[in-house]
Amino acid sequence: MLLSWQLPVLLCASLVYATTSNPQLDGIYSLVKRRMPAHADSFTFTLAPVNGSSFDSFTLSDGNDGGIHVDCGSVSGCARGLYTYVTEIGGVDIWWTGSRLDQLPANLPAVGDPITRSAIVPYRYMFNTVTFSYTLAFSTFEDWELLIDWMALRGVNLPLAWVGFEYTLSEVFREVGLTEDDISDFFSGPAFQAWNRFGNIQHYWGGPLPTQWINDQFALQKQIVPRLVELGMTPVLPSFTGFVPPAMHALYPNASIVNGSQWAFFPALYTNDSFLEPFDPLFSTMQTSFIKKQQAAFGNVSHIYTLDQYNENNPYSGDTTYLANITSATFSSLRAADPEAIWLMQGWLFWEMESFWTADRVQAYLGGVPSNDSMIILDLWSEYQPQWERLDSYYGKQWVWCELHDYGGTMGMEGNFDNVTASPLNALAAPGSSMVGMGLTPEGLEGNEIIYDVLLDQAWSPTVINKTAYASAWAARRYYVPDLPSEAISAWDILASTVYDNQNPLVPSSPKSLVELTPALGLVSTGIETIEPTMLFYDTNTTLVPALRMLLQARNQSPALINVPEYQHDLVDFTRQILANNFVGLYNTLISAYQSLDATSQDVSAAGLPMMDLIADMDSILLTNENFLLARWIGAARNLANGNTTYANYLEYNARNQITLWGPQGQISDYASKQWGGLVGTYYTSRWEAFIDYLVQSKQSGTAYNATFVAEKMLEIGLQWDSETWSGSWGVSGDSYGIAEKLLEKWS
């Protein structure tokens, strides 16, 4: 029997690749023209099996005409071969902040001895379902184009592709008799669609989902999918999950429709989603309709479908026969619509709801899918909570080792370099391992780019990547200037051995700054494991402070550095993190003054002054770089309205609510908080001012701390802020270098 990952390899091997005019290569040639126009004719590619490798592979060599040639077993292998050249030989790279591939030397350096490499796993996966809301909610095709090129060059060949899902689902809903009001009442707002797709929430706050949004997102997907395909990627497409509007109960009274559980403290209006059980014949009818409509829109470009039924919601029954019937019927519905269908699911539920998902229930649930190569499971948080170990390599089902790392787009600098290099290799070599991929599943793309890069690079290396050598090479091409001062590289060497060498089990992911949290007593998590920790695991004064000082010194030696966008970004990022870390001590001083029997209200007020000073300084450095602007997020949302002010205000409300209250009444406040210029200077400033004022007044009057009153005040501030529209500057202000230099001396 063929494994699913062998199919594209055999298809490639069955074609003739003798000429560079092969239409399958059009995408990679277009990428070269798009990113390296001066070298549009310098690279040639030939599709042909490389050394009999069964996975994606390439051989990089010098061409006869002074150009560079790549032989590759797949288009993805071609892209990775190109990336190997531009990074390891050309010394440039492509980043989330933009492509620098056009900085290749005019005279391309020679390869020398040919370089042949292969991926060590058939799949290199990208995206968490919620990334489409936390980072990509308001992205244009221009944004997607950069990210798709970034993925292709790094060898990603299996990206999730959720955009525009609501258009096709609406068509299916209409087909079964639901009205426009029924459908509109079900869909959530643009910034919250991921959780509507998961079946966590339904309905909306701030207004119903406009038809314009649904149509525009579908049109965007029609641009995204072909680009993914032409660059050798297999898009993981949506399918019908079974979550339906409440009106389905009345429309089909005899159908097997059950209500899901409550999610994240939301009232029933917004949760308890209705679920059409897959063994009901209507489920298969709707599944076939959905997939056929999707195929008509995008072509027969993929047989891999994402389908998650119990993300942070428990099944209607824990009976193992029931669970097996759910998956058996679900898979049958996929195969009825697409005889080659493969079901991809996130394995998050097996950890997050571990008390329910006992080994026997998991085995029954997965066992409902008949063959091991018919399913791919994303072991979503492999770097910290690997479920493949507990569940015997998912009982033989294919699975992908995933790095989650970032919750809600949290921006704290953190990573465990050794873990995301050695651990996947160990998992791949484990006895009986059914691991078939490595991938990135962050909730947001908001920093720590090095820790994501290294995992995708490890997918092409059979040996553990050396941390020190990797960080040095990464920094050297990040700051592409002649004669780069050694201090710039040394700064990253420090971080690689400290901030990105997190060995503290109580800090399992990117930490959140206290500045972003709703002010209250007891914010510092000490000895408490949480997915959004506030606990520091390194000494700021021996890590980030000298690293920032080195970056500043490097610019003094090489003034050209100040024109490098990634250097500008990192100046702000390092400074931001130093200030965030310093805020912890100031907060503790404030709380100590408030709780001390010997302190006065004047002491409390005095303790609050440096906190507000630091917040103002943080806002000032953030405002100097476009990547750290609230205005960028709001502007991206508003720009999608194409001048329709009412629609723009609606989109802005969604954008604001997600990063603040996350719900109509602050159901999961601050989960998606950000350190962005404008957000710090308005929202966080208002909250901390109000909190400090309350503590001063409470101390002065001798009244006990009233947590309910404080929480209500914070909610009031949040509701007011979310209802506003942006009136500040849309661009950057201030000099990153000058402000970073000043703040380093002030706060270190």
Side-chain angles (χ1 to χ4, degrees):
M1 178 182 293
L2 293 176
L3 294 177
S4 60
W5 54 261
Q6 290 176 306
L7 295 175
V9 174
L10 294 180
L11 286 172
C12 287
S14 69
L15 299 172
V16 178
Y17 303 127
T19 71
T20 58
S21 62
N22 189 324
Q24 290 189 74
L25 293 167
D26 289 350
I28 194 68
Y29 279 113
S30 294
L31 188 154
V32 174
K33 292 177 183 178
R34 186 165 55 248
R35 300 300 176 191
M36 297 165 273
H39 294 293
D41 300 322
S42 301
F43 294 90
T44 56
F45 303 87
T46 301
L47 275 170
V50 178
N51 289 347
S53 173
S54 59
F55 299 161
D56 295 325
S57 54
F58 65 85
T59 295
L60 188 62
S61 60
D62 294 311
N64 295 329
D65 56 357
I68 306 301
H69 186 70
V70 185
D71 287 298
C72 33
S74 66
V75 177
S76 182
C78 288
R80 182 69 198 194
L82 175 62
Y83 183 67
T84 299
Y85 178 82
V86 298
T87 55
E88 296 183 19
I89 300 172
V92 296
D93 211 328
I94 181 171
W95 313 98
W96 292 342
T97 38
S99 174
R100 311 300 162 218
L101 302 185
D102 59 348
Q103 300 293 320
L104 274 174
N107 296 317
L108 294 179
V111 175
D113 293 336
I115 299 171
T116 296
R117 291 181 191 161
S118 296
I120 63 173
V121 285
Y123 295 129
R124 284 83 59 199
Y125 176 82
M126 182 74 183
F127 293 127
N128 189 314
T129 290
V130 303
T131 320
F132 287 80
S133 291
Y134 283 136
T135 295
L136 303 171
F138 307 111
S139 294
T140 63
F141 185 65
E142 182 180 3
D143 302 320
W144 271 102
E145 191 170 56
L146 175 67
L147 185 55
I148 290 171
D149 287 351
W150 182 94
M151 292 191 293
L153 289 165
R154 282 166 169 77
V156 170
N157 66 350
L158 192 66
L160 193 56
W162 265 113
V163 176
F165 167 72
E166 286 68 27
Y167 182 93
T168 307
L169 187 60
S170 294
E171 289 193 318
V172 175
F173 283 162
R174 292 186 192 101
E175 202 169 70
V176 298
L178 289 164
T179 68
E180 296 303 316
D181 287 343
D182 295 335
I183 298 168
S184 176
D185 199 52
F186 175 67
F187 286 142
S188 300
F192 305 98
Q193 289 183 324
W195 301 274
N196 187 236
R197 295 163 179 173
F198 267 149
N200 300 134
I201 60 174
Q202 59 183 337
H203 200 55
Y204 51 81
W205 48 95
L209 188 66
T211 300
Q212 181 178 342
W213 172 270
I214 295 174
N215 292 340
D216 288 350
Q217 289 294 293
F218 185 63
L220 177 58
Q221 180 78 330
K222 283 189 170 183
Q223 293 179 283
I224 292 171
V225 169
R227 180 60 59 83
L228 293 172
V229 173
E230 75 173 20
L231 287 172
M233 292 181 252
T234 299
V236 179
L237 294 174
S239 59
F240 175 63
T241 56
F243 300 110
V244 295
M248 286 285 285
H249 289 274
L251 193 60
Y252 292 91
N254 297 320
S256 297
I257 303 175
V258 297
N259 286 335
S261 54
Q262 183 190 36
W263 184 76
F265 310 109
F266 278 84
L269 175 64
Y270 302 108
T271 185
N272 303 109
D273 287 28
S274 298
F275 179 60
L276 174 63
E277 296 185 295
F279 40 75
D280 190 291
L282 183 59
F283 186 100
S284 186
T285 299
M286 296 177 74
Q287 185 73 272
T288 296
S289 175
F290 184 95
I291 290 178
K292 294 303 181 185
K293 292 179 190 303
Q294 189 166 250
Q295 288 174 338
F298 307 117
N300 193 24
V301 297
S302 178
H303 301 294
I304 304 179
Y305 301 95
T306 182
L307 201 160
D308 290 286
Q309 298 164 318
Y310 301 117
N311 179 73
E312 300 182 4
N313 282 319
N314 283 338
Y316 183 71
S317 169
D319 178 78
T320 54
T321 301
Y322 172 85
L323 295 173
N325 286 340
I326 289 287
T327 45
S328 175
T330 300
F331 185 70
S332 294
S333 78
L334 290 171
R335 280 289 168 95
D338 179 352
E340 300 177 63
I342 297 171
W343 178 358
L344 181 140
M345 65 171 287
Q346 295 191 174
W348 175 254
L349 71 168
F350 300 134
W351 174 76
E352 207 277 338
M353 297 291 189
E354 185 176 350
S355 60
F356 176 89
W357 289 104
T358 57
D360 60 331
R361 286 174 173 168
V362 175
Q363 192 164 11
Y365 186 71
L366 299 182
V369 178
S371 58
N372 288 339
D373 62 346
S374 299
M375 180 176 247
I376 301 171
I377 300 163
L378 304 176
D379 193 67
L380 211 69
W381 197 9
S382 301
E383 81 270 25
Y384 188 72
Q385 290 290 343
Q387 295 302 291
W388 69 270
E389 294 178 333
R390 177 174 78 92
L391 301 173
D392 195 16
S393 205
Y394 290 103
Y395 307 106
K397 292 291 189 290
Q398 300 179 116
W399 63 276
V400 176
W401 197 102
C402 297
E403 177 187 359
L404 205 167
H405 178 264
D406 168 303
Y407 287 90
T410 299
M411 298 169 63
M413 296 173 71
E414 185 273 341
N416 186 329
F417 198 104
D418 293 336
N419 196 10
V420 296
T421 54
S423 293
L425 294 187
N426 293 338
L428 187 62
S433 175
S434 51
M435 174 180 158
V436 294
M438 296 163 61
L440 304 180
T441 53
E443 291 198 345
L445 306 174
E446 299 295 341
N448 297 297
E449 195 167 348
I450 190 172
I451 209 66
Y452 300 121
D453 279 352
V454 70
L455 180 68
L456 293 180
D457 286 348
Q458 186 64 70
W460 292 81
S461 174
T463 58
V464 176
I465 291 175
N466 180 275
K467 175 173 57 181
T468 303
Y470 186 89
S472 296
W474 190 88
R477 64 180 185 266
R478 186 166 176 82
Y479 308 137
Y480 57 96
V481 295
D483 301 318
L484 178 67
S486 61
E487 285 84 354
I489 295 175
S490 296
W492 280 97
D493 289 342
I494 290 175
L495 298 188
S497 62
T498 55
V499 174
Y500 294 111
D501 187 35
N502 176 18
Q503 303 296 322
N504 190 325
L506 299 176
V507 185
S509 58
S510 182
K512 187 179 286 289
S513 167
L514 297 190
V515 173
E516 307 163 45
L517 296 182
T518 304
L521 300 182
L523 289 182
V524 180
S525 60
T526 303
I528 302 173
E529 178 187 301
T530 172
I531 62 173
E532 288 195 306
T534 59
M535 181 178 179
L536 293 177
F537 60 91
Y538 57 88
D539 179 2
T540 305
N541 290 324
T542 59
T543 56
L544 278 166
V545 167
L548 177 57
R549 186 165 284 121
M550 288 176 180
L551 276 193
L552 293 167
Q553 291 170 352
R555 185 263 186 182
N556 291 335
Q557 297 179 49
S558 178
L561 266 175
I562 200 62
N563 297 317
V564 178
E566 287 65 45
Y567 177 80
Q568 297 169 5
H569 172 281
D570 294 346
L571 282 180
V572 176
D573 203 27
F574 286 27
T575 307
R576 169 202 62 76
Q577 189 65 62
I578 290 170
L579 295 181
N581 295 353
N582 272 278
F583 192 77
V584 177
L586 300 180
Y587 169 81
N588 287 335
T589 299
L590 173 73
I591 301 306
S592 295
Y594 175 70
Q595 294 178 333
S596 171
L597 296 178
D598 297 327
T600 66
S601 60
Q602 288 83 3
D603 295 326
V604 176
S605 179
L609 291 176
M611 296 175 67
M612 299 312 302
D613 187 30
L614 184 147
I615 289 174
D617 284 346
M618 178 181 286
D619 197 54
S620 70
I621 187 66
L622 294 169
L623 288 170
T624 66
N625 189 276
E626 64 176 355
N627 297 286
F628 298 90
L629 295 183
L630 169 65
R632 188 185 190 192
W633 173 247
I634 290 178
R638 295 190 66 90
N639 286 341
L640 295 181
N642 295 318
N644 182 328
T645 301
T646 300
Y647 184 29
N649 291 345
Y650 165 84
L651 294 173
E652 179 170 349
Y653 170 80
N654 267 261
R656 283 174 173 260
N657 184 264
Q658 187 208 90
I659 60 174
T660 55
L661 296 181
W662 211 125
Q665 295 292 317
Q667 275 75 13
I668 44 177
S669 279
D670 305 318
Y671 183 81
S673 63
K674 303 291 187 295
Q675 289 174 52
W676 285 342
L679 181 61
V680 172
T682 59
Y683 187 54
Y684 300 148
T685 294
S686 296
R687 293 201 304 185
W688 282 104
E689 282 180 342
F691 180 68
I692 294 169
D693 286 347
Y694 171 79
L695 294 185
V696 171
Q697 294 170 18
S698 172
K699 189 73 170 178
Q700 190 173 32
S701 63
T703 56
Y705 182 82
N706 187 331
T708 300
F709 176 84
V710 171
E712 289 174 349
K713 179 62 177 178
M714 296 304 146
L715 177 59
E716 177 187 330
I717 292 172
L719 292 171
Q720 175 61 39
W721 193 88
D722 284 359
S723 69
E724 296 170 0
T725 54
W726 183 246
S727 59
S729 169
W730 292 102
V732 300
S733 62
D735 166 41
S736 298
Y737 181 88
I739 294 176
E741 188 175 44
K742 172 186 172 183
L743 295 183
L744 176 64
E745 296 311 310
K746 180 177 180 179
W747 293 104
S748 63

